[in-house]
Amino acid sequence: ENYQETSAARTSAPSAPTATPPTASPSTPTATTTLSRTETGTGRPHQHPTTNPSTQYFTMARNGIAKGTVSGHVTTQRATPAKASRKKGTLGERTKMVRELIREVAGLSPYERRILDMIKTGGSAADKRIYKFAKRRLGSHKRAVVKREDIKEVNAQQRARQAGAS
């Protein structure tokens, strides 16, 4: 009985008045304004824009206030040079030349010749058959697609050579 009275008193008690935030123009963020995802530049409004690792091109300046989306000491953003690790995996001139030389000297491997033959004979579902065959031999979707395009390019080069010779 006593418990019911207190719970009823809690529900019927008036709530505290809420303060309305001050109005500000959308271009100048303040500590009380809520910024949209595009305004913060992070794509996630709950993360701090300067500590989010996926944000590399953050351009909004910090406002010097300890709280909020753009909080922190006001500093000038410097353009940092590109890291050398970003270049990892790109094809270098020397590697490209060596691979071309090996392709020229050794030619195609037997499974590549079979893919080339499938390209030449064509058919209604040739691309799909080539993909399935290459995927079985190479083990992944990406490698199979890249190999299919590579052998198609070899076929185009052979056709261009034959057209130029005749």
Side-chain angles (χ1 to χ4, degrees):
E1 192 178 306
N2 193 12
Y3 172 75
Q4 289 174 350
E5 289 174 17
T6 55
S7 63
R10 268 191 235 135
T11 55
S12 64
S15 61
T18 56
T20 57
T23 57
S25 66
S27 61
T28 57
T30 62
T32 55
T33 58
T34 307
L35 299 176
S36 68
R37 291 177 180 202
T38 53
E39 289 176 48
T40 58
T42 62
R44 297 182 196 141
H46 63 276
Q47 285 190 332
H48 193 279
T50 54
T51 57
N52 184 358
S54 66
T55 307
Q56 294 178 347
Y57 306 105
F58 184 76
T59 54
M60 185 176 270
R62 283 167 260 163
N63 61 9
I65 298 172
K67 293 275 187 184
T69 317
V70 288
S71 63
H73 187 70
V74 179
T75 56
T76 54
Q77 295 285 329
R78 293 187 307 134
T80 54
K83 290 182 178 181
S85 62
R86 292 278 178 198
K87 195 174 178 260
K88 182 178 178 180
T90 56
L91 186 63
E93 288 179 39
R94 185 173 188 273
T95 308
K96 185 179 178 184
M97 188 269 301
V98 168
R99 286 180 186 167
E100 286 174 1
L101 184 69
I102 290 170
R103 173 58 56 93
E104 196 176 309
V105 173
L108 298 173
S109 65
Y111 86 94
E112 288 174 331
R113 273 188 296 232
R114 194 164 158 192
I115 291 173
L116 186 62
D117 188 45
M118 285 181 195
I119 290 170
K120 286 179 180 176
T121 54
S124 60
D127 266 5
K128 187 175 180 180
R129 279 191 303 116
I130 293 164
Y131 163 74
K132 286 176 82 172
F133 177 75
K135 187 169 186 272
R136 248 182 272 127
R137 294 299 167 103
L138 298 170
S140 80
H141 169 82
K142 193 172 183 179
R143 288 176 183 170
V145 170
V146 168
K147 182 60 73 176
R148 181 178 64 188
E149 298 308 313
D150 183 41
I151 302 296
K152 279 184 178 180
E153 194 176 307
V154 167
N155 186 34
Q157 287 172 356
Q158 285 180 357
R159 281 185 170 185
R161 237 182 279 131
Q162 287 174 353
S166 59

